Protein backbone atom coordinates (compact mmCIF):
# COMPACT_ATOMS: atom_id res chain seq x y z
CA UNK A 1 0.00 0.00 0.00
CA UNK A 2 1.18 3.52 -0.77
CA UNK A 3 1.54 6.33 1.74
CA UNK A 4 -1.60 8.01 0.35
CA UNK A 5 -3.66 4.83 0.73
CA UNK A 6 -2.53 4.16 4.29
CA UNK A 7 -3.00 7.77 5.36
CA UNK A 8 -6.46 7.90 3.76
CA UNK A 9 -7.58 4.74 5.58
CA UNK A 10 -6.31 6.12 8.89
CA UNK A 11 -8.04 9.44 8.20
CA UNK A 12 -11.36 7.74 7.37
CA UNK A 13 -11.25 5.51 10.45
CA UNK A 14 -10.42 8.49 12.67
CA UNK A 15 -13.24 10.59 11.20
CA UNK A 16 -15.80 7.80 11.48
CA UNK A 17 -14.78 7.28 15.11
CA UNK A 18 -15.13 11.00 15.88
CA UNK A 19 -18.50 11.15 14.10
CA UNK A 20 -19.79 8.23 16.16
CA UNK A 21 -18.51 9.60 19.48
CA UNK A 22 -20.34 12.92 18.91
CA UNK A 23 -17.94 14.75 21.21
CA UNK A 24 -17.18 17.31 18.51
CA UNK A 25 -19.55 19.05 16.12
CA UNK A 26 -19.84 17.14 12.85
CA UNK A 27 -18.96 20.15 10.69
CA UNK A 28 -15.75 20.71 12.71
CA UNK A 29 -14.72 17.08 12.24
CA UNK A 30 -15.54 17.24 8.51
CA UNK A 31 -13.59 20.45 7.87
CA UNK A 32 -10.63 19.20 9.92
CA UNK A 33 -10.64 15.96 7.91
CA UNK A 34 -10.91 17.90 4.66
CA UNK A 35 -7.87 20.03 5.47
CA UNK A 36 -5.96 17.01 6.80
CA UNK A 37 -6.56 15.25 3.47
CA UNK A 38 -5.10 18.20 1.61
CA UNK A 39 -2.09 18.32 3.96
CA UNK A 40 -1.52 14.61 3.27
CA UNK A 41 -1.61 15.24 -0.49
CA UNK A 42 -4.76 13.25 -1.14
CA UNK A 43 -6.18 15.90 -3.49
CA UNK A 44 -4.94 19.18 -5.00
CA UNK A 45 -5.82 22.64 -3.73
CA UNK A 46 -8.44 23.26 -6.42
CA UNK A 47 -10.39 20.23 -5.18
CA UNK A 48 -10.50 21.12 -1.48
CA UNK A 49 -13.75 23.06 -1.67
CA UNK A 50 -15.12 21.45 -4.82
CA UNK A 51 -17.78 19.72 -2.75
CA UNK A 52 -19.51 23.02 -2.03
CA UNK A 53 -20.16 23.40 -5.76
CA UNK A 54 -21.27 19.80 -6.21
CA UNK A 55 -24.73 19.36 -7.80
CA UNK A 56 -25.52 16.94 -4.95
CA UNK A 57 -24.97 19.59 -2.27
CA UNK A 58 -26.80 22.23 -4.27
CA UNK A 59 -29.80 19.91 -4.75
CA UNK A 60 -29.89 19.12 -1.02
CA UNK A 61 -29.92 22.85 -0.18
CA UNK A 62 -32.72 23.46 -2.68
CA UNK A 63 -34.85 20.62 -1.31
CA UNK A 64 -34.38 21.90 2.25
CA UNK A 65 -35.51 25.37 1.17
CA UNK A 66 -38.63 23.95 -0.49
CA UNK A 67 -39.41 21.81 2.56
CA UNK A 68 -39.57 24.95 4.72
CA UNK A 69 -42.46 26.21 2.58
CA UNK A 70 -44.28 22.87 2.47
CA UNK A 71 -43.90 22.31 6.22
CA UNK A 72 -45.61 25.63 7.02
CA UNK A 73 -48.65 24.53 5.03
CA UNK A 74 -49.38 21.77 7.61
CA UNK A 75 -50.46 19.44 4.83
CA UNK A 76 -51.27 16.52 7.15
CA UNK A 77 -53.52 18.48 9.52
CA UNK A 78 -56.64 17.33 7.69
CA UNK A 79 -55.47 13.73 8.06
CA UNK A 80 -55.55 14.14 11.85
CA UNK A 81 -59.19 15.20 11.67
CA UNK A 82 -60.15 12.34 9.37
CA UNK A 83 -58.46 9.76 11.59
CA UNK A 84 -60.24 11.20 14.61
CA UNK A 85 -63.60 10.71 12.89
CA UNK A 86 -62.83 7.26 11.48
CA UNK A 87 -63.33 4.12 13.53
CA UNK A 88 -59.97 2.53 12.85
CA UNK A 89 -58.03 0.15 15.00
CA UNK A 90 -54.67 1.23 16.37
CA UNK A 91 -53.02 -0.76 13.59
CA UNK A 92 -55.07 1.10 10.98
CA UNK A 93 -54.20 4.50 12.44
CA UNK A 94 -50.50 3.64 12.55
CA UNK A 95 -50.62 2.42 8.95
CA UNK A 96 -52.37 5.59 7.77
CA UNK A 97 -49.95 7.96 9.53
CA UNK A 98 -46.91 5.94 8.46
CA UNK A 99 -48.09 5.78 4.85
CA UNK A 100 -48.63 9.54 4.71
CA UNK A 101 -45.22 10.23 6.25
CA UNK A 102 -43.51 7.70 3.97
CA UNK A 103 -45.17 9.24 0.92
CA UNK A 104 -43.93 12.71 1.89
CA UNK A 105 -40.43 11.34 2.43
CA UNK A 106 -40.28 10.22 -1.19
CA UNK A 107 -40.24 13.85 -2.27
CA UNK A 108 -38.39 15.57 0.58
CA UNK A 109 -35.65 14.77 3.07
CA UNK A 110 -36.38 12.33 5.90
CA UNK A 111 -36.25 14.80 8.76
CA UNK A 112 -38.59 17.17 6.88
CA UNK A 113 -41.20 14.45 6.39
CA UNK A 114 -40.92 13.33 10.01
CA UNK A 115 -41.21 16.92 11.24
CA UNK A 116 -44.48 17.32 9.33
CA UNK A 117 -45.92 13.98 10.50
CA UNK A 118 -44.89 14.21 14.16
CA UNK A 119 -47.32 16.95 15.30
CA UNK A 120 -50.17 15.11 13.61
CA UNK A 121 -49.24 11.84 15.34
CA UNK A 122 -49.20 13.53 18.75
CA UNK A 123 -52.59 15.16 18.18
CA UNK A 124 -54.05 11.83 17.04
CA UNK A 125 -52.55 10.21 20.15
CA UNK A 126 -54.26 12.73 22.42
CA UNK A 127 -57.63 12.67 20.64
CA UNK A 128 -57.90 8.92 20.08
CA UNK A 129 -56.21 7.87 23.36
CA UNK A 130 -53.56 5.88 21.51
CA UNK A 131 -50.21 5.68 23.35
CA UNK A 132 -47.80 7.91 21.49
CA UNK A 133 -45.21 5.13 21.73
CA UNK A 134 -47.30 3.22 19.20
CA UNK A 135 -47.20 6.12 16.72
CA UNK A 136 -43.89 8.00 16.92
CA UNK A 137 -41.40 5.22 16.13
CA UNK A 138 -43.40 3.87 13.17
CA UNK A 139 -43.57 7.25 11.42
CA UNK A 140 -39.84 7.73 12.04
CA UNK A 141 -39.10 4.39 10.35
CA UNK A 142 -41.59 5.17 7.56
CA UNK A 143 -39.76 8.42 6.81
CA UNK A 144 -36.47 6.51 6.53
CA UNK A 145 -38.01 3.89 4.24
CA UNK A 146 -39.73 6.49 2.07
CA UNK A 147 -36.41 8.19 1.44
CA UNK A 148 -35.13 5.09 -0.39
CA UNK A 149 -37.83 5.30 -3.08
CA UNK A 150 -36.63 8.32 -5.07
CA UNK A 151 -33.48 10.12 -6.11
CA UNK A 152 -34.32 13.15 -3.93
CA UNK A 153 -35.60 11.23 -0.91
CA UNK A 154 -32.26 11.35 0.91
CA UNK A 155 -28.78 12.76 0.18
CA UNK A 156 -27.37 9.21 0.10
CA UNK A 157 -29.36 8.50 -3.08
CA UNK A 158 -28.05 11.66 -4.74
CA UNK A 159 -24.50 10.72 -3.81
CA UNK A 160 -24.63 7.20 -5.22
CA UNK A 161 -26.29 8.57 -8.37
CA UNK A 162 -23.42 11.02 -8.74
CA UNK A 163 -20.94 8.15 -8.32
CA UNK A 164 -22.86 6.18 -10.96
CA UNK A 165 -22.70 9.12 -13.36
CA UNK A 166 -18.95 9.47 -12.88
CA UNK A 167 -18.42 5.74 -13.46
CA UNK A 168 -20.75 5.19 -16.42
CA UNK A 169 -21.71 8.65 -17.67
CA UNK A 170 -25.34 8.25 -16.58
CA UNK A 171 -26.83 8.51 -13.11
CA UNK A 172 -30.03 7.04 -11.73
CA UNK A 173 -33.38 8.41 -12.83
CA UNK A 174 -35.76 9.91 -10.27
CA UNK A 175 -37.73 6.73 -9.53
CA UNK A 176 -35.26 3.98 -10.45
CA UNK A 177 -34.69 3.49 -6.72
CA UNK A 178 -38.39 2.57 -6.41
CA UNK A 179 -37.80 -1.00 -7.66
CA UNK A 180 -36.14 -1.62 -4.30
CA UNK A 181 -37.52 1.22 -2.19
CA UNK A 182 -41.26 0.88 -2.87
CA UNK A 183 -41.58 -2.78 -1.73
CA UNK A 184 -39.40 -2.00 1.29
CA UNK A 185 -41.68 0.91 2.19
CA UNK A 186 -44.92 -1.06 1.81
CA UNK A 187 -43.76 -4.15 3.68
CA UNK A 188 -41.97 -2.07 6.33
CA UNK A 189 -45.10 -0.05 7.08
CA UNK A 190 -47.19 -3.21 7.25
CA UNK A 191 -44.72 -4.73 9.72
CA UNK A 192 -44.42 -1.75 12.09
CA UNK A 193 -48.19 -1.17 11.98
CA UNK A 194 -48.72 -4.74 13.15
CA UNK A 195 -45.78 -4.87 15.57
CA UNK A 196 -46.02 -1.49 17.37
CA UNK A 197 -49.43 -2.03 19.09
CA UNK A 198 -48.23 -5.39 20.37
CA UNK A 199 -44.83 -4.16 21.53
CA UNK A 200 -46.13 -0.99 23.17
CA UNK A 201 -49.52 -2.25 24.34
CA UNK A 202 -51.53 -0.14 26.81
CA UNK A 203 -51.34 -2.98 29.31
CA UNK A 204 -47.56 -3.13 28.96
CA UNK A 205 -45.24 -0.17 29.00
CA UNK A 206 -48.06 2.31 29.56
CA UNK A 207 -49.94 0.37 32.17
CA UNK A 208 -48.66 2.46 35.03
CA UNK A 209 -49.88 5.64 33.45
CA UNK A 210 -53.57 6.47 34.05
CA UNK A 211 -53.85 8.25 30.71
CA UNK A 212 -51.79 6.54 27.98
CA UNK A 213 -51.79 9.76 25.90
CA UNK A 214 -50.42 11.82 28.79
CA UNK A 215 -46.82 12.97 28.98
CA UNK A 216 -44.60 13.21 32.05
CA UNK A 217 -43.53 16.81 32.58
CA UNK A 218 -41.53 18.77 35.14
CA UNK A 219 -42.84 22.14 36.29
CA UNK A 220 -42.43 24.68 39.06
CA UNK A 221 -45.64 26.11 40.48
CA UNK A 222 -46.58 28.67 43.13
CA UNK A 223 -48.73 27.59 46.09
CA UNK A 224 -51.57 30.16 46.29
CA UNK A 225 -53.65 31.03 49.35
CA UNK A 226 -56.36 28.47 50.14
CA UNK A 227 -54.61 25.76 48.05
CA UNK A 228 -55.51 22.22 49.19
CA UNK A 229 -51.77 21.44 49.24
CA UNK A 230 -51.21 23.81 52.18
CA UNK A 231 -50.32 21.82 55.31
CA UNK A 232 -49.67 18.61 53.37
CA UNK A 233 -46.21 17.09 53.78
CA UNK A 234 -44.14 16.09 50.76
CA UNK A 235 -44.49 12.37 51.47
CA UNK A 236 -48.30 12.56 51.10
CA UNK A 237 -48.37 14.61 47.88
CA UNK A 238 -47.84 11.70 45.40
CA UNK A 239 -50.77 9.65 46.69
CA UNK A 240 -53.14 12.59 47.25
CA UNK A 241 -52.40 14.81 44.24
CA UNK A 242 -50.47 12.65 41.74
CA UNK A 243 -47.37 14.86 41.94
CA UNK A 244 -43.83 13.62 42.47
CA UNK A 245 -42.14 16.49 44.36
CA UNK A 246 -38.47 17.20 43.69
CA UNK A 247 -37.96 20.41 45.67
CA UNK A 248 -39.84 22.83 47.89
CA UNK A 249 -38.67 26.44 47.74
CA UNK A 250 -39.54 29.01 50.40
CA UNK A 251 -38.24 32.60 50.36
CA UNK A 252 -35.89 31.65 47.49
CA UNK A 253 -34.29 28.90 49.59
CA UNK A 254 -34.72 25.14 49.50
CA UNK A 255 -36.64 23.48 52.31
CA UNK A 256 -34.53 20.59 53.56
CA UNK A 257 -35.45 17.78 55.91
CA UNK A 258 -37.42 14.55 55.96
CA UNK A 259 -40.29 14.51 53.48
CA UNK A 260 -42.85 13.51 56.10
CA UNK A 261 -41.87 16.57 58.15
CA UNK A 262 -41.65 19.10 55.31
CA UNK A 263 -45.07 20.77 55.02
CA UNK A 264 -46.26 23.06 52.25
CA UNK A 265 -47.23 26.61 53.19
CA UNK A 266 -48.83 29.40 51.17
CA UNK A 267 -46.32 31.25 49.03
CA UNK A 268 -44.02 28.25 48.53
CA UNK A 269 -42.86 27.10 45.11
CA UNK A 270 -43.11 23.38 44.34
CA UNK A 271 -40.87 21.73 41.73
CA UNK A 272 -42.60 18.51 40.76
CA UNK A 273 -42.97 15.87 38.06
CA UNK A 274 -46.34 14.53 36.91
CA UNK A 275 -48.55 13.89 33.89
CA UNK A 276 -49.22 17.01 31.84
CA UNK A 277 -52.95 16.45 32.32
CA UNK A 278 -52.59 16.35 36.12
CA UNK A 279 -50.54 19.54 36.14
CA UNK A 280 -53.11 21.28 33.93
CA UNK A 281 -56.01 20.15 36.14
CA UNK A 282 -54.34 21.31 39.39
CA UNK A 283 -53.51 24.66 37.83
CA UNK A 284 -57.02 25.12 36.47
CA UNK A 285 -58.57 24.26 39.86
CA UNK A 286 -56.44 26.82 41.68
CA UNK A 287 -54.45 24.29 43.68
CA UNK A 288 -51.36 25.56 41.87
CA UNK A 289 -50.68 28.82 40.08
CA UNK A 290 -48.17 29.52 37.33
CA UNK A 291 -44.91 31.21 38.25
CA UNK A 292 -45.19 33.76 35.47
CA UNK A 293 -42.46 36.04 34.25
CA UNK A 294 -43.43 39.66 34.99
CA UNK A 295 -43.08 40.61 31.32
CA UNK A 296 -45.75 38.16 30.21
CA UNK A 297 -48.97 39.92 29.18
CA UNK A 298 -51.98 38.67 31.11
CA UNK A 299 -54.34 38.79 28.13
CA UNK A 300 -54.59 36.73 24.96
CA UNK A 301 -52.11 34.11 26.13
CA UNK A 302 -51.75 30.82 24.32
CA UNK A 303 -49.99 27.58 25.14
CA UNK A 304 -47.88 25.80 22.52
CA UNK A 305 -45.73 22.71 22.85
CA UNK A 306 -42.46 22.53 20.92
CA UNK A 307 -39.78 19.88 20.61
CA UNK A 308 -36.05 20.60 20.67
CA UNK A 309 -34.69 19.49 17.29
CA UNK A 310 -31.16 18.09 16.78
CA UNK A 311 -30.05 21.32 15.06
CA UNK A 312 -31.71 23.62 17.61
CA UNK A 313 -29.63 26.35 19.22
CA UNK A 314 -31.22 25.43 22.56
CA UNK A 315 -29.44 22.07 22.88
CA UNK A 316 -27.28 22.18 26.01
CA UNK A 317 -28.80 25.46 27.28
CA UNK A 318 -30.37 25.89 30.71
CA UNK A 319 -33.87 27.29 31.03
CA UNK A 320 -32.70 30.42 32.83
CA UNK A 321 -30.56 31.42 29.83
CA UNK A 322 -33.26 31.21 27.13
CA UNK A 323 -33.31 34.87 26.13
CA UNK A 324 -35.07 33.94 22.90
CA UNK A 325 -38.18 33.39 25.04
CA UNK A 326 -37.76 35.78 27.98
CA UNK A 327 -37.10 38.77 25.68
CA UNK A 328 -40.51 38.16 24.10
CA UNK A 329 -42.36 37.65 27.39
CA UNK A 330 -42.68 33.90 26.86
CA UNK A 331 -42.71 31.54 29.84
CA UNK A 332 -41.52 27.92 29.81
CA UNK A 333 -44.41 26.55 31.85
CA UNK A 334 -43.30 22.91 31.89
CA UNK A 335 -40.72 20.61 30.38
CA UNK A 336 -40.92 16.99 29.25
CA UNK A 337 -37.44 15.53 29.45
CA UNK A 338 -36.17 12.29 27.95
CA UNK A 339 -34.25 11.43 31.13
CA UNK A 340 -35.25 13.81 33.93
CA UNK A 341 -32.31 14.65 36.15
CA UNK A 342 -33.56 17.27 38.55
CA UNK A 343 -30.83 19.32 40.21
CA UNK A 344 -31.57 22.77 41.59
CA UNK A 345 -34.60 24.75 40.48
CA UNK A 346 -36.67 24.51 37.34
CA UNK A 347 -34.65 27.24 35.63
CA UNK A 348 -31.48 25.15 36.14
CA UNK A 349 -32.69 22.27 33.96
CA UNK A 350 -30.60 21.66 30.84
CA UNK A 351 -32.18 20.96 27.46
CA UNK A 352 -31.30 18.08 25.16
CA UNK A 353 -32.53 16.77 21.82
CA UNK A 354 -36.14 15.58 21.94
CA UNK A 355 -37.16 17.53 25.05
CA UNK A 356 -40.61 19.10 24.80
CA UNK A 357 -41.19 22.67 26.02
CA UNK A 358 -44.63 23.88 27.10
CA UNK A 359 -44.57 27.58 26.25
CA UNK A 360 -47.05 30.25 27.34
CA UNK A 361 -47.22 33.71 25.82
CA UNK A 362 -48.50 35.65 22.84
CA UNK A 363 -49.04 33.38 19.84
CA UNK A 364 -47.11 35.51 17.35
CA UNK A 365 -44.18 35.88 19.76
CA UNK A 366 -43.95 32.12 20.34
CA UNK A 367 -44.07 31.43 16.61
CA UNK A 368 -41.27 33.91 15.95
CA UNK A 369 -39.13 32.54 18.80
CA UNK A 370 -39.52 28.92 17.66
CA UNK A 371 -38.40 29.80 14.14
CA UNK A 372 -35.37 31.60 15.53
CA UNK A 373 -34.23 28.77 17.82
CA UNK A 374 -35.18 25.98 15.36
CA UNK A 375 -37.67 24.14 17.54
CA UNK A 376 -40.61 22.24 16.07
CA UNK A 377 -44.08 23.32 17.26
CA UNK A 378 -46.34 20.40 18.12
CA UNK A 379 -49.60 22.30 18.49
CA UNK A 380 -51.60 23.49 15.50
CA UNK A 381 -50.68 26.94 14.30
CA UNK A 382 -52.32 29.17 11.75
CA UNK A 383 -50.57 28.77 8.43
CA UNK A 384 -48.02 31.40 7.54
CA UNK A 385 -49.05 34.38 5.45
CA UNK A 386 -48.98 33.60 1.80
CA UNK A 387 -49.02 29.82 2.13
CA UNK A 388 -52.04 28.93 4.22
CA UNK A 389 -54.50 26.69 2.45
CA UNK A 390 -52.91 27.35 -0.95
CA UNK A 391 -51.88 24.55 -3.26
CA UNK A 392 -49.59 26.71 -5.42
CA UNK A 393 -46.37 25.63 -3.61
CA UNK A 394 -47.24 21.97 -4.12
CA UNK A 395 -48.05 22.52 -7.78
CA UNK A 396 -44.75 24.34 -8.29
CA UNK A 397 -42.85 21.59 -6.49
CA UNK A 398 -44.68 18.90 -8.50
CA UNK A 399 -43.59 20.63 -11.71
CA UNK A 400 -39.97 20.44 -10.56
CA UNK A 401 -40.36 16.76 -9.70
CA UNK A 402 -41.95 16.07 -13.09
CA UNK A 403 -39.16 17.90 -14.94
CA UNK A 404 -36.64 15.70 -13.15
CA UNK A 405 -38.64 12.49 -13.59
CA UNK A 406 -38.98 12.92 -17.37
CA UNK A 407 -35.35 13.92 -17.81
CA UNK A 408 -36.16 17.45 -18.97
CA UNK A 409 -33.86 19.07 -16.43
CA UNK A 410 -31.17 17.95 -14.03
CA UNK A 411 -32.36 17.92 -10.38
CA UNK A 412 -30.24 20.90 -9.32
CA UNK A 413 -31.55 23.02 -12.22
CA UNK A 414 -35.18 21.90 -11.79
CA UNK A 415 -35.30 22.66 -8.07
CA UNK A 416 -33.43 25.92 -8.53
CA UNK A 417 -36.36 26.95 -10.72
CA UNK A 418 -38.78 25.80 -7.99
CA UNK A 419 -36.96 27.90 -5.37
CA UNK A 420 -37.01 30.92 -7.69
CA UNK A 421 -40.73 30.56 -8.37
CA UNK A 422 -41.55 30.24 -4.66
CA UNK A 423 -39.46 33.32 -3.90
CA UNK A 424 -41.07 35.39 -6.67
CA UNK A 425 -44.54 34.47 -5.40
CA UNK A 426 -43.57 35.43 -1.80
CA UNK A 427 -43.87 31.91 -0.44
CA UNK A 428 -40.16 31.84 0.38
CA UNK A 429 -37.88 34.45 1.91
CA UNK A 430 -34.54 33.16 0.65
CA UNK A 431 -32.44 35.23 3.04
CA UNK A 432 -34.32 34.00 6.11
CA UNK A 433 -34.66 30.44 4.79
CA UNK A 434 -30.93 30.18 4.16
CA UNK A 435 -30.29 31.19 7.76
CA UNK A 436 -32.67 28.46 8.95
CA UNK A 437 -30.95 25.65 7.03
CA UNK A 438 -29.24 22.79 8.84
CA UNK A 439 -25.78 24.05 7.89
CA UNK A 440 -23.76 21.50 9.92
CA UNK A 441 -25.14 18.67 7.77
CA UNK A 442 -24.56 20.62 4.53
CA UNK A 443 -20.99 21.52 5.49
CA UNK A 444 -20.29 17.93 6.49
CA UNK A 445 -21.67 16.68 3.18
CA UNK A 446 -19.62 19.13 1.10
CA UNK A 447 -16.43 18.49 3.07
CA UNK A 448 -16.70 14.71 2.75
CA UNK A 449 -17.07 14.69 -1.06
CA UNK A 450 -13.35 15.30 -1.86
CA UNK A 451 -12.37 12.69 0.75
CA UNK A 452 -14.76 10.19 -0.83
CA UNK A 453 -13.35 10.94 -4.28
CA UNK A 454 -9.87 10.26 -2.95
CA UNK A 455 -10.96 6.73 -2.02
CA UNK A 456 -11.19 6.06 -5.76
CA UNK A 457 -8.42 8.32 -7.10
CA UNK A 458 -5.73 7.00 -4.73
CA UNK A 459 -6.56 3.38 -5.46
CA UNK A 460 -7.74 2.78 -1.90
CA UNK A 461 -11.03 1.31 -3.09
CA UNK A 462 -9.12 -1.18 -5.24
CA UNK A 463 -6.92 -2.19 -2.30
CA UNK A 464 -9.96 -2.72 -0.05
CA UNK A 465 -11.77 -4.69 -2.73
CA UNK A 466 -8.70 -6.88 -3.38
CA UNK A 467 -8.35 -7.58 0.34
CA UNK A 468 -11.98 -8.56 0.68
CA UNK A 469 -11.77 -10.68 -2.46
CA UNK A 470 -9.23 -12.88 -0.71
CA UNK A 471 -11.72 -13.92 1.96
CA UNK A 472 -15.14 -13.37 0.34
CA UNK A 473 -16.17 -14.36 -3.21
CA UNK A 474 -17.12 -10.82 -4.22
CA UNK A 475 -16.72 -11.79 -7.88
CA UNK A 476 -20.11 -13.41 -7.32
CA UNK A 477 -22.52 -10.44 -7.70
CA UNK A 478 -24.87 -11.67 -4.95
CA UNK A 479 -21.97 -12.01 -2.47
CA UNK A 480 -20.62 -8.57 -3.41
CA UNK A 481 -23.99 -6.88 -3.10
CA UNK A 482 -24.71 -8.69 0.15
CA UNK A 483 -21.39 -7.60 1.66
CA UNK A 484 -21.87 -3.95 0.66
CA UNK A 485 -25.42 -3.94 2.02
CA UNK A 486 -24.19 -5.44 5.30
CA UNK A 487 -21.36 -2.88 5.60
CA UNK A 488 -23.71 0.03 4.91
CA UNK A 489 -26.26 -1.17 7.47
CA UNK A 490 -23.52 -1.84 10.03
CA UNK A 491 -21.93 1.62 9.70
CA UNK A 492 -25.00 3.85 9.31
CA UNK A 493 -26.19 3.55 12.95
CA UNK A 494 -23.00 5.31 13.98
CA UNK A 495 -22.41 7.95 11.28
CA UNK A 496 -24.49 10.05 8.90
CA UNK A 497 -25.94 8.09 5.99
CA UNK A 498 -24.42 10.55 3.51
CA UNK A 499 -20.96 9.72 4.87
CA UNK A 500 -21.69 6.01 4.41
CA UNK A 501 -22.62 6.62 0.77
CA UNK A 502 -19.52 8.72 0.13
CA UNK A 503 -17.13 6.17 1.63
CA UNK A 504 -18.68 3.00 0.18
CA UNK A 505 -19.58 4.20 -3.34
CA UNK A 506 -16.00 3.91 -4.72
CA UNK A 507 -15.71 0.46 -3.14
CA UNK A 508 -19.02 -0.56 -4.73
CA UNK A 509 -17.77 0.51 -8.15
CA UNK A 510 -14.58 -1.51 -7.63
CA UNK A 511 -16.66 -4.56 -6.63
CA UNK A 512 -18.64 -4.19 -9.86
CA UNK A 513 -15.43 -3.96 -11.86
CA UNK A 514 -14.09 -7.19 -10.33
CA UNK A 515 -17.38 -8.98 -11.11
CA UNK A 516 -17.48 -7.43 -14.64
CA UNK A 517 -20.95 -6.15 -13.89
CA UNK A 518 -22.79 -2.83 -14.01
CA UNK A 519 -22.24 -0.86 -10.78
CA UNK A 520 -25.96 -0.01 -10.51
CA UNK A 521 -26.85 -2.99 -8.29
CA UNK A 522 -23.89 -2.41 -5.98
CA UNK A 523 -24.60 1.30 -5.60
CA UNK A 524 -28.27 0.60 -4.93
CA UNK A 525 -27.23 -1.73 -2.11
CA UNK A 526 -25.12 1.07 -0.62
CA UNK A 527 -27.97 3.60 -0.89
CA UNK A 528 -30.53 1.24 0.64
CA UNK A 529 -28.23 0.10 3.43
CA UNK A 530 -27.37 3.69 4.34
CA UNK A 531 -31.07 4.39 4.99
CA UNK A 532 -32.01 1.13 6.74
CA UNK A 533 -31.17 2.62 10.13
CA UNK A 534 -33.55 1.13 12.69
CA UNK A 535 -31.33 -0.40 15.38
CA UNK A 536 -30.29 2.59 17.48
CA UNK A 537 -31.76 5.93 18.56
CA UNK A 538 -28.61 7.85 17.67
CA UNK A 539 -27.92 6.73 14.09
CA UNK A 540 -30.35 9.18 12.45
CA UNK A 541 -31.85 12.46 13.64
CA UNK A 542 -35.34 11.02 13.21
CA UNK A 543 -34.65 8.21 15.66
CA UNK A 544 -33.03 10.58 18.17
CA UNK A 545 -36.05 12.85 18.04
CA UNK A 546 -38.44 9.89 18.23
CA UNK A 547 -36.71 8.59 21.35
CA UNK A 548 -37.16 11.91 23.12
CA UNK A 549 -40.75 12.52 22.09
CA UNK A 550 -41.91 8.91 22.45
CA UNK A 551 -40.05 8.23 25.72
CA UNK A 552 -38.50 5.06 24.28
CA UNK A 553 -35.63 3.10 25.73
CA UNK A 554 -32.66 1.86 23.73
CA UNK A 555 -33.98 -1.71 23.71
CA UNK A 556 -37.30 -0.55 22.23
CA UNK A 557 -35.50 0.17 18.96
CA UNK A 558 -34.10 -3.35 18.98
CA UNK A 559 -37.56 -4.85 19.58
CA UNK A 560 -39.03 -3.33 16.42
CA UNK A 561 -35.95 -2.19 14.51
CA UNK A 562 -34.12 -5.52 14.86
CA UNK A 563 -36.66 -7.67 12.98
CA UNK A 564 -37.30 -4.83 10.54
CA UNK A 565 -33.58 -4.47 9.75
CA UNK A 566 -33.11 -8.22 9.34
CA UNK A 567 -36.14 -8.57 7.08
CA UNK A 568 -35.15 -5.48 5.09
CA UNK A 569 -31.67 -6.91 4.48
CA UNK A 570 -32.92 -10.11 2.85
CA UNK A 571 -35.74 -8.36 1.01
CA UNK A 572 -33.28 -5.83 -0.44
CA UNK A 573 -31.00 -8.64 -1.61
CA UNK A 574 -33.91 -10.35 -3.35
CA UNK A 575 -35.12 -7.13 -4.99
CA UNK A 576 -31.67 -6.14 -6.20
CA UNK A 577 -31.14 -9.65 -7.60
CA UNK A 578 -34.52 -9.65 -9.40
CA UNK A 579 -34.39 -6.15 -10.88
CA UNK A 580 -30.70 -5.26 -11.19
CA UNK A 581 -28.59 -8.43 -11.51
Amino acid sequence: MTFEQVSLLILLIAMLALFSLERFRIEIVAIAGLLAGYALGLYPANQVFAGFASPVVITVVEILLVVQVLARARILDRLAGLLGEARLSNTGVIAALSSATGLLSIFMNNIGAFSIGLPVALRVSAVMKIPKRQLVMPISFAALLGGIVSLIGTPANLLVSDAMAQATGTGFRLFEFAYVGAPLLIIGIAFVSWRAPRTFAETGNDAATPNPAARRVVGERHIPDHSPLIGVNLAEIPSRFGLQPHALIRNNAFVFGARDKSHVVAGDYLLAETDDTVLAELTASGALSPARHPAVPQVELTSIEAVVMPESTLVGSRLRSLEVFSSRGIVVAALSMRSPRIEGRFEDLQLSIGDILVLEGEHAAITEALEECECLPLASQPPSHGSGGAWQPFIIFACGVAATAFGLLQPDIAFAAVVLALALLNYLNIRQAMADLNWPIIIMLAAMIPIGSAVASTGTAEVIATGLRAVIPIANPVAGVGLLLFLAMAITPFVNNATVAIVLSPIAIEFASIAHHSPAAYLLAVAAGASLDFLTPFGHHNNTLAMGVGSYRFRDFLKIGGPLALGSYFLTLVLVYVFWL
Side-chain angles (χ1 to χ4, degrees), residues 145 148 180 184 187 472 477-490 524-526 528-535 561-577:
L145 289 166
I148 305 175
V180 173
L184 281 173
I187 295 176
I472 298 174
V478 175
V481 168
L483 177 59
L484 284 168
L485 181 60
F486 173 80
L487 290 174
M489 291 180 67
L524 272 169
V526 171
S531 293
L532 295 174
D533 186 1
F534 312 121
L535 295 177
L564 181 61
L566 184 63
S568 297
Y569 176 84
F570 289 107
L571 179 58
T572 301
L573 274 183
V574 171
L575 292 170
V576 170
Y577 178 80

Side-chain angles (χ1 to χ4, degrees), residues 83 86-99 121 124-125 127-136 138-139 189-203 206 212-213:
L83 290 176
R87 295 183 177 179
L88 296 177
S89 65
N90 288 16
T91 297
V93 172
I94 296 168
L97 284 174
S98 299
S99 298
V124 169
S125 171
V127 171
M128 302 186 67
K129 307 302 182 186
I130 299 175
K132 63 180 183 294
R133 291 159 59 83
Q134 295 185 13
L135 299 174
V136 176
I139 65 171
I189 288 175
F191 172 77
V192 297
S193 299
W194 170 81
R195 179 76 171 173
R198 291 158 177 80
T199 303
F200 307 122
E202 296 181 32
T203 56
D206 294 291

Side-chain angles (χ1 to χ4, degrees), residues 159 302 324 382 466 508 549:
L159 289 165
T302 188
V324 66
T466 301
V549 176

Side-chain angles (χ1 to χ4, degrees), residues 49-61:
F49 298 109
F52 290 90
S54 167
V56 173
V57 177
I58 293 172
T59 302
V60 170
V61 171

Side-chain angles (χ1 to χ4, degrees), residues 308-309 311-318 322 324-325 350-352 357 370 373-375:
V308 179
M309 300 290 283
E311 65 273 15
S312 174
T313 57
L314 302 187
V315 175
S317 299
R318 298 190 183 276
L322 302 185
V324 66
F325 298 136
Q350 191 172 22
L351 296 175
S352 60
L357 300 161
L370 293 180
C373 65
E374 298 181 83
C375 288

Side-chain angles (χ1 to χ4, degrees), residues 30-86:
I31 293 175
L34 176 66
L35 296 178
Y38 169 69
L40 293 169
L42 302 179
Y43 32 79
N46 63 355
Q47 293 296 314
V48 174
F49 298 109
F52 290 90
S54 167
V56 173
V57 177
I58 293 172
T59 302
V60 170
V61 171
E62 292 165 349
I63 292 293
L64 291 176
L65 292 174
V66 174
V67 166
Q68 291 188 38
V69 177
L70 301 184
R72 288 198 299 269
R74 317 295 295 178
I75 56 181
L76 293 185
D77 277 8
R78 181 167 176 78
L79 177 61
L82 293 175
L83 290 176
E85 297 172 0

